[in-house]
Amino acid sequence: MINRLITIYNRTYKYISEILDKYPNYSFGIVVLVLLIHFRFYETINLPPQATDLWRQSDCYSIALNYYQHGFHFFKPQVHFQFAQQGYAAGEFPIVYFIAAVLFKFFGVHYFLFRGINVIIFLAGIYCLFRLFIKQTQNTIFSLLVITLFFCSPLIFFYANNFMCDTSALSFNIMGLYFFMQFLEQPKKGYLTLSAIFFSLAALLKANAIIFPIAIVGAVIYNVWLAKKKSEYFVVLSTYKITILVSLLLAVIMASSWYLYAIRFNASNGTVFFGTRAMQGWPLWENNWAEIKPTLIYFKNIYYDQALLSNLMLTFLSVVFVVLYFRKIDSFLSTLWILVFIGLLLFAIYFFKGFVEQEYYVVNTVIFPILSMMIAYPLMANIKLSVFIKQSLPLAALFLALLGIYKGKNMYKMYYKKGWRMHKLMAVYYDKGLNDALIRHGIDSNDKVISLTDNTPNGTLVMLNRAGWSGFGFARNSPFLSSDFESKIKMGASYLILNDTLLLQNDVVKKYTQKFIGNYKELYFYSLKE
């Protein structure tokens, strides 16, 4: 009976493999389409900023909207929150925000135009991941299952269809890796050029994505000049070493130059929250064990769900294989694996506490599990195991993929179906009649407002589509002060908008609500003009 089942399994496996190997791109398209529908991308693609990291999503949307409304001055990005100089604020390279603004110009302001840019980049990245795994594993089934697991991780599908560019940065790194591996096998300069461009875009979109191209530079230097064991790619690496290093270093320099510009730009404009350095108390060495322990517990509770058990299991298995059979790995790939691990470890140590509030920091660390799986599968296929066990590996991956699909959908509900990650502003902020109501009450698009309560810089301001100050502009965890209101009035605040009438019990707030001009549902408007 068992032998008969094994025979049926082997025949079925062979039959499916032959079909998928014959039509890999069609297979990829069908799997991705099913996943897009399963995770309801068609619904979420047109949602406003919400759920986890509402703060950061609102910042991104605000930059695009300001480009569209105040001129396409690429090197002068702005947000609705007013700092010392008209809301000028730079973080990552704003190419995605700028393209979104251009699309707004031609097609009107729609959330799906912005989110759609990141979705398209993600799909291009996941296709390159698929082709990369086919190239490295010669197994279409396993490659499809890997991209399924990758897609089903909440860390990926949530940020892929988003206003933030973290998954886009990861996707560009995957594209860069794909074309770099293509170059190592077929040394065409076009592949290297594309690789350098994609690595540059990855690092420009997210600073921590720069770790990967730097690791490749280190792996190239080591394998050309220092390694005793020759890589199978040694001929290409040594022949084109200068071209490779110049191309990749240019990518790193371009990204570094932008962040240096952003730091100086922010400093000159009094911007306080678009930093590119760890905040005080974030580095691991600035914390004692009593502070480190709850952070580690948070990692366990949160990132266990974010990464999903199935992904963690496959990653763990891959890392174990890499470690156990390290000597059998190609020298270039083993060096790259070590350097990526060290780079991400240093990043995690430096931004340790930041991972608690900024979960998106983890997205670009996914390049390590991807690299581990890419290296591990050929090791699994080449070690001495029975044919049945080897052919059972895709079956095990299928089980993990199905588990990922099921668990991923549960996490989707946590983000979008009134789960504990479903963070939204009050419903009135998403009302289509809000802007007309503001104008009817004399609050024009150029008027500056104070919006309370809101502890994010741009959350309510971007939905009001009015420049000004939110609760973020007041001393945090401190009573309201008249000096805070007066300073903002001097900088041009003309109206106060409250979403909670309990604030009227505060004597300081009450002082600035003497000129009531009306309300729209739960929002109450007050003039601050003399």
Side-chain angles (χ1 to χ4, degrees):
M1 181 66 178
I2 294 176
N3 289 335
R4 182 176 176 78
L5 289 174
I6 292 174
T7 301
I8 292 172
Y9 170 77
N10 287 337
R11 287 178 178 174
T12 304
Y13 177 82
K14 183 179 179 182
Y15 177 71
I16 295 174
S17 293
E18 288 175 353
I19 294 176
L20 296 179
D21 289 342
K22 189 175 181 180
Y23 305 104
N25 290 335
Y26 289 115
S27 305
F28 169 84
I30 292 170
V31 168
V32 169
L33 181 61
V34 169
L35 291 172
L36 288 170
I37 294 172
H38 180 69
F39 290 109
R40 297 179 177 270
F41 269 48
Y42 57 89
E43 284 184 355
T44 55
I45 198 168
N46 204 34
L47 292 178
Q50 59 184 264
T52 298
D53 297 310
L54 168 64
W55 174 326
R56 194 68 182 86
Q57 291 184 63
S58 300
D59 296 342
C60 300
Y61 180 52
S62 179
I63 293 173
L65 208 53
N66 273 279
Y67 272 139
Y68 166 65
Q69 294 174 158
H70 300 137
F72 293 83
H73 306 295
F74 186 83
F75 290 99
K76 292 184 176 182
Q78 288 177 278
V79 292
H80 285 73
F81 186 89
Q82 300 295 283
F83 299 98
Q85 300 290 333
Q86 303 299 313
Y88 289 117
E92 57 272 359
F93 193 64
I95 185 64
V96 171
Y97 314 141
F98 191 82
I99 293 172
V102 172
L103 293 176
F104 292 167
K105 182 75 173 177
F106 286 100
F107 304 106
V109 178
H110 302 285
Y111 301 124
F112 73 86
L113 293 174
F114 194 144
R115 288 178 180 260
I117 299 168
N118 286 322
V119 170
I120 291 170
I121 295 170
F122 166 67
L123 293 178
I126 206 171
Y127 178 72
C128 285
L129 179 65
F130 174 64
R131 298 306 308 183
L132 178 65
F133 268 82
I134 285 183
K135 197 81 172 177
Q136 295 298 117
T137 67
Q138 303 298 312
N139 190 313
T140 306
I141 291 179
F142 184 76
S143 301
L144 286 170
L145 294 174
V146 166
I147 66 162
T148 300
L149 278 169
F150 178 69
F151 197 120
C152 290
S153 170
L155 198 64
I156 299 301
F157 73 69
F158 175 72
Y159 289 108
N161 185 8
N162 206 287
F163 296 90
M164 299 162 63
C165 301
D166 297 79
T167 304
S168 293
L170 174 63
S171 298
F172 280 130
N173 260 341
I174 293 170
M175 294 182 220
L177 176 60
Y178 170 71
F179 283 104
F180 190 78
M181 296 305 295
Q182 286 285 89
F183 172 77
L184 292 182
E185 294 181 9
Q186 303 175 49
K188 297 178 181 178
K189 291 186 178 180
Y191 288 147
L192 182 60
T193 301
L194 285 172
S195 175
I197 290 172
F198 289 133
F199 284 140
S200 178
L201 286 170
L204 283 165
L205 289 183
K206 281 297 167 183
N208 61 345
I210 203 172
I211 293 170
F212 194 59
I214 289 176
I216 292 181
V217 170
V220 171
I221 291 172
Y222 177 80
N223 280 274
V224 170
W225 284 288
L226 302 173
K228 295 179 180 179
K229 179 184 174 183
K230 298 298 182 184
S231 167
E232 66 175 273
Y233 307 114
F234 177 76
V235 174
V236 175
L237 291 173
S238 58
T239 302
Y240 297 94
K241 55 183 178 292
I242 302 301
T243 306
I244 293 172
L245 291 174
V246 169
S247 300
L248 295 181
L249 286 172
L250 278 175
V252 171
I253 290 169
M254 283 180 62
S256 301
S257 298
W258 168 259
Y259 290 111
L260 289 172
Y261 169 78
I263 290 170
R264 294 185 64 181
F265 181 78
N266 289 340
S268 64
N269 288 289
T271 306
V272 295
F273 72 92
F274 272 83
T276 52
R277 289 179 284 179
M279 294 185 181
Q280 186 176 358
W282 279 13
L284 182 64
W285 60 84
E286 293 182 7
N287 294 267
N288 55 41
W289 176 245
E291 296 168 317
I292 292 172
K293 186 178 179 180
T295 304
L296 293 176
I297 293 173
Y298 181 89
F299 287 171
K300 172 183 173 293
N301 294 339
I302 298 299
Y303 294 123
Y304 175 83
D305 287 334
Q306 285 284 60
L308 293 184
L309 176 62
S310 49
N311 298 59
L312 293 172
M313 288 174 65
L314 189 57
T315 300
F316 176 75
L317 182 63
S318 300
V319 171
V320 168
F321 264 86
V322 171
V323 172
L324 291 177
Y325 296 92
F326 193 77
R327 293 180 180 275
K328 295 181 179 292
I329 304 172
D330 175 79
S331 176
F332 173 76
L333 293 177
S334 63
T335 308
L336 178 60
W337 188 82
I338 290 173
L339 292 176
V340 170
F341 175 77
I342 292 173
L344 293 177
L345 181 62
L346 293 174
F347 171 71
I349 291 172
Y350 186 53
F351 287 92
F352 180 70
K353 290 293 283 290
F355 282 83
V356 174
E357 296 181 0
Q358 282 80 20
E359 293 177 15
Y360 53 89
Y361 280 13
V362 182
V363 173
N364 278 283
T365 67
V366 174
I367 197 69
F368 180 71
I370 288 172
L371 187 62
S372 299
M373 292 177 202
M374 187 188 85
I375 295 171
Y377 186 85
L379 293 174
M380 298 177 193
N382 291 327
I383 61 176
K384 293 182 180 179
L385 295 172
S386 68
V387 174
F388 175 72
I389 292 177
K390 287 185 178 181
Q391 291 185 341
S392 295
L393 291 174
L395 185 64
L398 174 62
F399 170 76
L400 293 177
L402 292 174
L403 178 63
I405 291 171
Y406 171 74
K407 294 291 289 182
K409 190 57 178 287
N410 288 340
M411 284 302 297
Y412 162 86
K413 294 176 182 177
M414 293 293 182
Y415 285 115
Y416 295 112
K417 299 295 180 181
K418 298 183 179 179
W420 67 275
R421 289 179 174 273
M422 181 57 186
H423 309 305
K424 291 183 71 174
L425 302 172
M426 294 170 61
V428 66
Y429 288 108
Y430 305 109
D431 197 310
K432 292 183 179 180
L434 177 56
N435 187 60
D436 290 339
L438 291 170
I439 292 174
R440 281 199 309 272
H441 287 89
I443 308 174
D444 295 328
S445 59
N446 293 323
D447 287 324
K448 294 181 180 180
V449 303
I450 297 174
S451 177
L452 300 175
T453 58
D454 175 16
N455 290 325
T456 72
N458 293 290
T460 57
L461 291 173
V462 74
M463 300 313 298
L464 293 167
N465 198 13
R466 299 295 188 276
W469 297 266
S470 62
F472 181 83
F474 293 78
R476 303 186 73 177
N477 302 316
S478 300
F480 289 108
L481 300 174
S482 293
S483 58
D484 288 327
F485 281 93
E486 291 299 329
S487 65
K488 289 162 185 55
I489 291 172
K490 286 181 181 179
M491 287 189 283
S494 301
Y495 296 94
L496 172 63
I497 300 176
L498 300 183
N499 58 26
D500 185 358
T501 53
L502 289 177
L503 287 171
L504 296 174
Q505 297 176 14
N506 182 287
D507 290 337
V508 174
V509 175
K510 190 174 182 179
K511 175 182 174 183
Y512 295 94
T513 58
Q514 301 304 307
K515 299 178 181 178
F516 178 67
I517 57 175
N519 72 290
Y520 179 69
K521 298 183 178 179
E522 302 92 345
L523 297 183
Y524 297 84
F525 312 133
Y526 305 87
S527 176
L528 297 174
K529 296 177 181 179
E530 291 295 333

